[in-house]
Amino acid sequence: MLAAVETAWLFVRGVQSVRIIRAATLRGDVHLHIKGPGTEQESHTFHDVIDCMHFQADFERRLVGRGFALERFTSDRRSAARRERP
């Protein structure tokens, strides 16, 4: 999957963390990967970025309700091929 835009959020609660990665492909699909807490992982694919954003916002509200707080936000707008170049 070549991502045109990849954005990540890190939520923490004590020693636990949850990383949310949203990657928009050049074809227009949007992939949402959720890693944590612990070994928990899930991935979702959306054909519309707005649907993905609604799902992500609901998920983040639940995280905050469970005591997690946003620790870090990063964004990379280069393609995967450009990220691999020295």
Side-chain angles (χ1 to χ4, degrees):
M1 165 188 67
L2 292 178
V5 178
E6 186 172 286
T7 310
W9 295 259
L10 177 66
F11 287 82
V12 297
R13 177 182 69 186
V15 297
Q16 294 183 314
S17 65
V18 176
R19 179 172 300 280
I20 300 172
I21 302 166
R22 186 172 65 211
T25 68
L26 298 174
R27 291 186 304 188
D29 292 334
V30 183
H31 302 280
L32 191 69
H33 306 286
I34 302 168
K35 299 179 180 188
T39 59
E40 293 181 43
Q41 291 190 29
E42 58 184 90
S43 293
H44 304 273
T45 299
F46 301 86
H47 301 293
D48 181 82
V49 69
I50 300 299
D51 290 340
C52 180
M53 291 171 72
H54 285 295
F55 180 91
Q56 182 180 347
D58 288 340
F59 186 86
E60 289 176 0
R61 273 192 286 279
R62 288 184 302 222
L63 278 179
V64 170
R66 292 172 45 204
F68 284 86
L70 180 63
E71 170 91 4
R72 188 175 311 141
F73 166 81
T74 58
S75 182
D76 190 347
R77 297 188 174 272
R78 298 174 290 157
S79 70
R82 286 183 58 197
R83 280 195 295 270
E84 294 172 3
R85 292 184 190 158

